[in-house]
Amino acid sequence: MVPRRALLLLLLISFATNLVHARVTDNIISMANLDFLNDLRAKYPHQPVFLQAVEEMAIAVEPLFDDRENGAFYKAAFLYLTEPERIISFHVPWQDDEGNLHVNRGWRVEFSSALGPYKGGLRFHPSVDEGVLKFLGFEQIFKNALTGLPLGGGKGGSDFDPKGKSEAEVRRFCESFMTNLCRYIDASTDVPAGDIGVGGREIGYMYGQYKRLSNLHGEGVLTGKTPGLLGGIELRPEATGFGTVYIAEQAIKDKLGESLEGKHCAVSGSGNVAQYAAKMLLQLGAKVVSISDSNGCLIFEDGMTQVDWERIIECKQVKRARLDTLGSQVSGKYVAGHSPWNLPDLSVDFAFPCATQNEIDEVGAKMLMEKSARGVFEGANLPVTASGQEVLRSHPGVLYIPGKAANAGGVGVSGLEMSQNSSRTYWKRETVDALLKDMMAEIYRQMKDAAGDSGTLEQGTNRAGFLKVAEALKGLGWVYIKPTSKL
């Protein structure tokens, strides 16, 4: 018989667990009455960020489900796309410098091949699990569709943390990861790239191991490789950040009749996306007022200078250090334990969240609106929580471009790298930059056309991406609706 005190303790634990779960999922399920997703919610309550991504997409395309002629098809296509075609999981054993064995988990979520080979990055971070990768892979389907290139959607990675590891330890881990992954990838099947924790160094180590194991050389099986030396393309490290600013510039000019010059632009994160978004903003005359990492935030009240940017690049790319080590080397002030989105005195005209998912919550979004911020452009994937998105939607005059469009420049240039590899050629930086600008302009046109006169840019982004994939599913015969009567 269970003792009374033990029973009481078990009840308290159960209550606390249910309360936490309710708080995590309430902002997802209450957002829309999309009952046809109930089975998905019941299957994956432990993957809240994946459900959040699905809900966000469903809300934007919900009017399509009510279409009298094609509504049933669109709903069926949407449900089809909520389950990955394949999930591969494996262990990744590696040795540290002292000879100790460690075992991490690795995954590749091959979500949709409707438009082409699975395409999406590899993320190495302790927060990585199957649910996070499903969210990223789901987003990738529609992002890749908007580029106009024949790319499916996928995502992969590991819960390995590169921080604090020696270069030899990172190399050994990458080699072990590729030893397990190599049997599933091919230039016509699945082409991974980099993401958080995976830059040019890690891609190089993995590509080296792939070459050893396959005896195939010059294959476009990974993108993000070193330009020139390893078959990479110029501008790939810059592409996501540059593309985010290019599409923001276009939207600000089209919708507000203004430019970025002199505007206070808050950037979060300090990885590739944030670094090069800040660089392009500086080139366009904007005042970059912040950059951050997981420990805190650098604030530049008078705007970041070119010298500041160069010292941040040295800190992050060369020394692989934290921003708080910069001290008096930069003109900004370091604020520990904060992000640009919870600093009430920071002046913000336009927000560029480039760090990670769910970094701007409801409080942060309200703070931006109180500051009269006029645009949010997502350099990261799903950086605004569901409740934060509701705040932005309640201000229709605010430009809000989700990551599916705003950060599509990275995968777009990765697609160009695949083309470069297959044709055994090499494109100059100026050529790639011109193609990137054209691509972001075309993405903006697609979202604007799909939004129509009454829709928002957020709705236009999601509808344009979804409709393209849905039409591919119909053309392939993968999704079809039984006719109600014979012709």
Side-chain angles (χ1 to χ4, degrees):
M1 188 172 181
V2 180
R4 184 175 179 181
R5 290 180 64 186
L7 181 61
L8 180 60
L9 180 62
L10 287 171
L11 289 171
L12 287 171
I13 291 172
S14 176
F15 173 77
T17 300
N18 290 333
L19 181 62
V20 170
H21 179 262
R23 286 176 176 171
V24 170
T25 58
D26 181 61
N27 67 337
I28 299 169
I29 295 176
S30 64
M31 287 177 62
N33 186 27
L34 299 168
D35 292 340
F36 76 103
L37 295 177
N38 283 344
D39 285 346
L40 195 75
R41 295 167 180 148
K43 283 193 289 186
Y44 303 115
H46 56 292
Q47 297 178 351
V49 71
F50 167 61
L51 293 178
Q52 179 188 343
V54 172
E55 287 276 359
E56 185 252 353
M57 188 71 180
I59 290 168
V61 303
E62 187 176 11
L64 296 175
F65 303 150
D66 298 327
D67 182 271
R68 293 185 63 181
E69 184 176 350
N70 296 308
F73 166 74
Y74 288 139
K75 189 176 289 188
F78 190 91
L79 281 174
Y80 181 94
L81 290 168
T82 60
E83 287 288 354
E85 293 175 8
R86 186 178 299 105
I87 299 178
I88 301 155
S89 63
F90 47 87
H91 74 166
V92 189
W94 60 280
Q95 281 190 329
D96 63 26
D97 290 339
E98 283 71 47
N100 300 307
L101 177 66
H102 301 264
V103 181
N104 284 89
R105 296 175 296 168
W107 293 269
R108 187 65 179 169
V109 178
E110 296 180 335
F111 225 115
S112 173
S113 60
L115 293 177
Y118 309 107
K119 187 81 189 80
L122 298 171
R123 176 175 293 191
F124 292 170
H125 192 272
S127 66
V128 168
D129 59 25
E130 187 176 297
V132 168
L133 295 176
K134 282 175 64 179
F135 131 63
L136 292 168
F138 182 77
E139 293 272 297
Q140 198 79 45
I141 300 169
F142 310 106
K143 181 188 307 185
N144 293 1
L146 289 170
T147 68
L149 299 172
L151 302 172
K155 206 76 178 184
S158 172
D159 55 4
F160 172 76
D161 188 358
K163 291 179 183 176
K165 305 296 191 300
S166 71
E167 188 156 345
E169 288 171 333
V170 171
R171 176 178 53 78
R172 286 193 289 270
F173 176 83
C174 289
E175 289 172 351
S176 181
F177 186 89
M178 180 52 71
T179 298
N180 284 280
L181 182 65
C182 69
R183 69 199 72 180
Y184 306 108
I185 61 176
D186 180 82
S188 296
T189 304
D190 187 349
V191 183
D195 195 87
I196 293 173
V198 179
R201 176 183 66 169
E202 290 76 19
I203 290 291
Y205 292 153
M206 286 188 279
Y207 188 47
Q209 184 71 350
Y210 176 84
K211 284 161 67 73
R212 286 193 193 104
L213 295 169
S214 67
N215 195 31
L216 296 172
H217 312 288
E219 297 294 304
V221 74
L222 285 169
T223 58
K225 304 182 292 296
T226 304
L229 286 175
L230 303 182
I233 193 168
E234 293 286 351
L235 212 75
R236 178 58 189 90
E238 297 93 333
T240 307
F242 279 15
T244 301
V245 177
Y246 288 157
I247 204 167
E249 180 186 31
Q250 186 144 3
I252 292 165
K253 181 179 179 181
D254 180 51
K255 296 292 187 179
L256 304 179
E258 299 181 26
S259 73
L260 280 161
E261 186 172 1
K263 303 300 190 297
H264 289 72
C265 296
V267 177
S268 65
S270 51
N272 272 358
V273 183
Q275 291 167 16
Y276 292 109
K279 180 176 182 178
M280 183 50 63
L281 286 167
L282 289 175
Q283 289 182 16
L284 294 175
K287 286 189 175 183
V288 179
V289 295
S290 68
I291 202 160
S292 65
D293 60 22
S294 56
N295 290 352
C297 186
L298 270 175
I299 301 301
F300 301 89
E301 292 182 359
D302 297 323
M304 181 190 296
T305 67
Q306 181 63 30
V307 172
D308 291 332
W309 184 84
E310 290 169 0
R311 288 175 178 166
I312 291 167
I313 293 300
E314 181 183 22
C315 172
K316 287 297 179 179
Q317 292 190 10
V318 180
K319 297 180 180 178
R320 299 184 183 272
R322 313 299 291 168
L323 291 176
D324 60 4
T325 64
L326 285 169
S328 61
Q329 298 176 55
V330 294
S331 65
K333 178 180 68 174
Y334 183 77
V335 184
H338 286 272
S339 81
W341 320 125
N342 58 20
L343 292 171
D345 296 329
L346 183 65
S347 175
V348 180
D349 293 315
F350 299 108
F352 291 82
C354 299
T356 191
Q357 67 264 21
N358 289 331
E359 56 176 293
I360 301 180
D361 58 11
E362 181 179 1
V363 174
K366 285 181 177 178
M367 190 176 292
L368 284 172
M369 298 303 96
E370 289 167 3
K371 296 175 181 180
S372 299
R374 292 185 289 166
V376 178
F377 308 100
E378 294 184 346
N381 293 301
L382 205 67
V384 183
T385 65
S387 55
Q389 289 173 348
E390 286 300 300
V391 172
L392 299 181
R393 292 183 189 119
S394 69
H395 293 76
V398 173
L399 304 178
Y400 175 37
I401 300 184
K404 296 183 194 72
N407 68 43
V411 72
V413 172
S414 280
L416 297 178
E417 183 175 332
M418 293 166 63
S419 298
Q420 180 181 268
N421 291 159
S422 64
S423 61
R424 299 294 194 268
T425 188
Y426 185 74
W427 296 338
K428 293 182 179 180
R429 183 182 181 87
E430 296 76 16
T431 300
V432 179
D433 194 30
L435 290 169
L436 173 60
K437 287 178 178 176
D438 288 347
M439 186 182 298
M440 301 313 293
E442 175 59 19
I443 290 173
Y444 183 75
R445 185 199 63 77
Q446 290 180 66
M447 75 167 78
K448 187 178 175 181
D449 288 352
D453 295 332
S454 59
T456 65
L457 292 178
E458 180 203 8
Q459 292 169 332
T461 297
N462 290 316
R463 291 173 189 174
F466 171 73
L467 286 170
K468 186 168 185 178
V469 181
E471 288 304 307
L473 293 174
K474 179 188 287 186
L476 292 165
W478 292 359
V479 175
Y480 53 90
I481 298 297
K482 185 178 178 180
T484 54
S485 61
K486 293 183 179 180
L487 295 177

